[in-house]
Amino acid sequence: MAPPVPDRHIADPGRLTLGRAWRLACDPEPGRLGYALRMAAACATTVLVGEIWQVPDLAVPALVTMALWQKDRVTNLVAGLAVNVLILVILAMLYGLIRLTLDHPLGIVVGVAILSFCFFFLGSASKLKPLAYMLGLITVYGLIAVDQAPVGEIATRALLYTDLFLAIPGLVMIGLGLIICPSPRTVLMRAIAGRLRMAMALLRHPDDATRERAQDMLRQGGAGMMANVKMAALERIWNRRDLACLKQAAYSSIGVLALADAAVREGGSPCPSALLETLEEMAAMFEAGDYPADIAPPAVPSNEPALAAMAALIAIFTTPAPEEKPPEEKKSGGFFFPDAFTNPDHVRFAVKGTAAVMTSYFIFKILDWPGIHTCIITCFIVAQPTMGEMISKLMLRIGGALLGAALGIGSIILLMPHLNDITGFLALVFAGAFIAAWVKTGDERIAYAGFQIGLAFFLTDIKDYGPTTDMTVARDRVVGIMLGNFITYAMFTSFWPASAWDRIAATLRGVVRALAAQRDSITPQARVTHAAEVLGAISASQRTLEFAATEPVHMRADTERMSQCGEALRDASRLAEDLLIPERDAQTRARFERLESLAS
C-alpha cells in the first residue's frame, strides 16, 4: 500500500467552501443518476396530469412531488398513500375554515396565523417533521387562494385545488413509482456494492479525492440501508433469511470501507491482489442481484492488522449474528417528541415561523402585488431551528434560488418562443427538474440548494396550468422568493435566536453511547453494526459543530472549546475504525475515556 495519506477525517469541521460544494455536486455517487432521473420524470408527469386537469399554480404540485419522491417503489407507495389520507384531514379543516372566514377578511388573517403556528409547531415537536412544512404550505396557500376566486365558487375551488395539490403528487408517487422505481432490496444491494467498490478504489489509489469521497460515504452511516431493509420486508415477497443476510451485509460493507480507510491512514505494504479480487467478485454478485455466502477469507500480510481484520470480516460478510436472546421491543415514542409540551423552543420556533408567514402575507396584500405570493411559500421551506443552520444555509438558499431563477428566465427567453406543443414544454420541465434533482439527491450539505433550484425554476416557468412567456411573472416570483428568504432569515435570527452550540453536548453523548456499545460488543457482527451507528452519530455531531462555527461572535463558543470538540470527533472517527481491529482493543480504552469525560 502507498505511504500514509494526510489524515483528513470524516469529522473535520469547517465551513462548506465553494470548491467542496462543487465536488459534492459532481460526485457520481452510486444510484444518484437513476434517482435524479426518476425524480425529474415524476415532476414532469405531475405537470402533465395538472395540464390535463387544468390545475392552477401547477408549480406547487410539482414542488411537492420533488420534495416527497423517494428512491424505491415501496417507500413511494407508503408516502403516496399517507399523503392521500392526510389530504382528507386537510380538506375537512379547510372546509370548516372557509365556512368561518367567508366574506370575513379578518377571519382569513386569523386562520392563516393559526394554521401557520400549528404546522410550524408540528414540524418542530412531532414526527410529522419531514411533511409538516409541506402540508402547512399547501393548506395556508389554499386558504389564501379564497381571496382570488370568484365569490360564488370560493369554497368549491379552494377545496378542489387544495385536494389536487396533494392528490396529484400522491397518485404519481403510487402509480409511476411502482413502474419506474426499483425494489428497496435492489436499492440496498446496489448500496452494498457501492461501498465495496469504494473500498477497492481507496485501497488501489488512496489519493485525497478518493479518500474524501470514501469519507463522505462513511458519514452516511447505515440508516438509509436499514430503511431499505424495512421497506423490503413490507413487500412480503423476499425470504426472511435472505433479508437477514442482506442486513448483515449492509453493516459489513460499512465495516469494510472503514477498515480500508484505516489501512490507508496507516500506509504500509501494497494491498494484496487476492483481497481486491475477492471484493470485486462480491461487488459484482451484489450488483447482479445475488449475495455471496461462505466466503473464503483472502490471504493478507500478518503485519497489516487493518487488512487482516477486513479479511476476517469478509469471511462472515453475510452471516447474521446468532441471537442469544429475543430482541427487546422498542416502545413507541408517540406522535409528539417527549419534550413537545415542555421545551419552549418548539413554541418559539412556531411563533417565529408564523411571524415570517404573516409578515409576507401582509406585504403582498398591502402592496397589492399578487405575483410575489411566493414569499409565503418560501417561508415554510427555508425555516431552520438554529442560528447556525439559518446562516450556513443562507448561501445555499440564495445560490439555489438564483440558479433556479436563471434557468427559468433563460428558458423563457431562449426556449419558450420555440415550444409549439406540450411535448416540448414537458421536456423543458424535465430538464430543469433534473438539474434540481441531481443537486437534491447529493450530499446533505448541498441537497438544500437543489430544492431551492426546483422551487425557483418551477415558480418561474409554470403559470397557472401552462407555460409562461411573461417576464413579469418570472420577475415577481423571483422577487417573492428572495423576499421570503430575507423575511424568514430576519425573523429567525432576531427573535429568540437558538444556538446550534447548545446541542453539541447531546450529540457528543450520542457518539459516546454508540462507541461504548461498539466497544462492549461480543460478536464481530455486532461490532460492525455499532460502528455504523457511531459513524452516523459522528456525522450529526460534525454538522452541528459546522453550524455552530458559522454563528455570530456573541453566540459562538470560544475557539478552544470548539477545537476540543473537533478533535474529539476526529478521534472518535479513528476509534470507530480501530475498534474493528482486535489487536488494538487495549489501545483504545484510554482514548475512549478521554472522549467520555469531554461529553459528560
Side-chain angles (χ1 to χ4, degrees), residues 491-562:
M491 290 298 174
F492 277 77
T493 57
S494 300
F495 303 101
W496 299 308
S499 174
W501 177 255
D502 295 337
R503 305 184 179 191
I504 286 289
T507 60
L508 280 176
R509 287 194 292 271
V511 173
V512 170
R513 286 194 297 269
L515 278 170
Q518 183 184 359
R519 178 199 60 189
D520 298 335
S521 298
I522 299 175
T523 64
Q525 291 96 329
R527 186 156 288 197
V528 294
T529 297
H530 291 300
E533 296 173 359
V534 172
L535 294 170
I538 290 174
S539 177
S541 296
Q542 186 264 347
R543 289 292 288 151
T544 304
L545 189 58
E546 287 179 3
F547 294 145
T550 65
E551 292 179 337
V553 177
H554 70 278
M555 295 182 63
R556 195 184 311 159
D558 62 82
T559 305
E560 183 179 355
R561 292 178 65 193
M562 295 188 70

Side-chain angles (χ1 to χ4, degrees), residues 289-552:
D290 200 358
Y291 65 89
D294 300 324
I295 310 168
V300 296
S302 58
N303 61 341
E304 293 289 345
L307 296 182
M310 187 186 302
L313 180 57
I314 287 174
I316 57 169
F317 195 85
T318 57
T319 305
E323 292 187 7
E324 299 179 357
K325 59 179 180 180
E328 296 181 2
E329 293 185 3
K330 295 183 178 180
K331 295 182 179 179
S332 175
F335 179 72
F336 289 99
F337 296 144
D339 65 344
F341 301 102
T342 57
N343 187 347
D345 287 341
H346 299 308
V347 173
R348 292 171 179 172
F349 179 82
V351 170
K352 290 186 287 187
T354 303
V357 170
M358 298 309 297
T359 301
S360 300
Y361 177 71
F362 285 133
I363 287 177
F364 106 87
K365 291 294 288 185
I366 292 172
L367 295 178
D368 193 21
W369 194 355
I372 64 170
H373 67 275
T374 49
C375 59
I376 298 174
I377 295 173
T378 305
C379 292
F380 283 97
I381 294 173
V382 304
Q384 301 294 328
T386 66
M387 175 79 83
E389 287 174 272
M390 289 295 296
I391 294 175
S392 64
K393 292 184 177 181
L394 178 63
M395 295 306 297
L396 293 177
R397 284 199 300 271
I398 295 176
L402 290 178
L403 179 56
L407 290 172
I409 294 174
S411 63
I412 290 175
I413 297 173
L414 301 175
L415 300 177
M416 287 290 190
H418 305 289
L419 301 181
N420 300 318
D421 53 26
I422 186 64
T423 304
F425 176 60
L426 290 177
L428 174 62
V429 170
F430 176 86
F434 174 73
I435 294 173
W438 174 264
V439 179
K440 185 178 181 294
T441 55
D443 188 273
E444 62 175 351
R445 287 166 289 181
I446 63 168
Y448 191 71
F451 190 63
Q452 290 291 315
I453 294 172
L455 169 69
F457 176 78
F458 289 141
L459 292 175
T460 301
D461 271 28
I462 304 176
K463 179 185 179 183
D464 292 331
Y465 49 85
T468 179
T469 57
D470 188 353
M471 293 295 295
T472 303
V473 173
R475 179 205 64 193
D476 291 352
R477 294 187 172 185
V478 172
V479 169
I481 292 170
M482 301 308 293
L483 178 62
N485 273 298
F486 172 76
I487 291 173
T488 307
Y489 175 82
M491 290 298 174
F492 277 77
T493 57
S494 300
F495 303 101
W496 299 308
S499 174
W501 177 255
D502 295 337
R503 305 184 179 191
I504 286 289
T507 60
L508 280 176
R509 287 194 292 271
V511 173
V512 170
R513 286 194 297 269
L515 278 170
Q518 183 184 359
R519 178 199 60 189
D520 298 335
S521 298
I522 299 175
T523 64
Q525 291 96 329
R527 186 156 288 197
V528 294
T529 297
H530 291 300
E533 296 173 359
V534 172
L535 294 170
I538 290 174
S539 177
S541 296
Q542 186 264 347
R543 289 292 288 151
T544 304
L545 189 58
E546 287 179 3
F547 294 145
T550 65
E551 292 179 337

Side-chain angles (χ1 to χ4, degrees), residues 188 195 217-229 250-251 254 529 531-533 535-536:
L188 172 64
R195 281 155 179 77
M217 190 172 284
L218 278 173
R219 56 186 285 137
Q220 297 174 11
M225 290 192 288
M226 292 307 104
N228 295 145
V229 173
Y251 285 126
I254 297 173
T529 297
E533 296 173 359
L535 294 170

